[in-house]
Amino acid sequence: MLSVGLGHAGLSSFCEVMGMQPLSKSAFQTHKKAIEEASSKAKCTLLEKTNSVIRHAYVSSSLASPDDEGVLDICVSYDGSWHKRGHTSRHGLGCVIDTVTGLGVDYESMSQYCQSCVTTGKAKKKKSQHAFNEWWASHEAVCEANHGGSSGMMEVAAAKIL
């Protein structure tokens, strides 16, 4: 459900249709946090390994040598993609790829959608602007929506970040 952006409500509907007992919202959030932490750790480990391979490829073939701070001047390519065709996708991705090894140097995920904003945010806003502002102060740092422009500009925004 996290992968397709349906969240806890989507999981509950799916479980109901399948005749299964759904997770409680707190259990769902606990699992979501654990998955996010494991994913972040795996990303860091993978990028460290690929950067090490790239560094070794450039230094061993004398294509580049590190400067005084250990920085390499490498040749990269950039590409972006969206979750679905057209310019209506809510999710996109930008990726920097080393041209010598073909390995990904770094990537950035972009999203115009946050399940918590859609559910909790709307409910708080209906209640009062003050309730929404209090909720937003604690939610803003973890909000999954990190792009506010058009879908077509997600690729450009990811490139600027990278």
Side-chain angles (χ1 to χ4, degrees):
M1 292 301 142
L2 295 175
S3 297
V4 295
L6 294 178
H8 183 260
L11 176 64
S12 294
S13 295
F14 176 78
C15 289
E16 183 179 336
V17 169
M18 298 301 290
M20 299 166 41
Q21 183 70 27
L23 285 174
S24 68
K25 189 160 186 139
S26 62
F28 180 83
Q29 293 298 343
T30 301
H31 287 293
K32 178 181 172 184
K33 186 175 181 178
I35 290 168
E36 288 171 348
E37 288 172 2
S39 176
S40 180
K41 187 176 178 180
K43 174 189 174 182
C44 290
T45 302
L46 180 64
L47 289 177
E48 284 175 11
K49 287 179 182 179
T50 58
N51 289 341
S52 176
V53 169
I54 292 167
R55 176 174 292 279
H56 184 278
Y58 275 85
V59 173
S60 66
S61 65
S62 302
L63 290 171
S65 57
D67 65 11
D68 294 338
E69 297 172 5
V71 176
L72 285 177
D73 185 17
I74 65 174
C75 186
V76 298
S77 173
Y78 174 80
D79 195 15
S81 186
W82 296 277
H83 181 240
K84 65 180 187 174
R85 288 183 181 182
H87 295 283
T88 59
S89 183
R90 292 194 248 174
H91 307 286
L93 174 77
C95 186
V96 175
I97 303 161
D98 173 52
T99 57
V100 171
T101 62
L103 295 173
V105 176
D106 201 1
Y107 67 92
E108 185 67 33
S109 298
M110 304 302 292
S111 180
Q112 297 176 331
Y113 182 79
C114 176
Q115 181 68 32
S116 295
C117 288
V118 171
T119 55
T120 308
K122 278 187 178 178
K124 295 286 184 184
K125 205 166 213 170
K126 275 186 180 178
K127 189 174 181 181
S128 75
Q129 187 63 41
H130 178 71
F132 174 79
N133 291 343
E134 282 184 359
W135 171 79
W136 180 251
S138 64
H139 175 71
E140 185 176 16
V142 295
C143 185
E144 294 172 10
N146 61 358
H147 180 70
S150 69
S151 297
M153 290 302 292
M154 274 194 254
E155 189 173 349
V156 175
K160 287 180 180 178
I161 292 168
L162 293 169

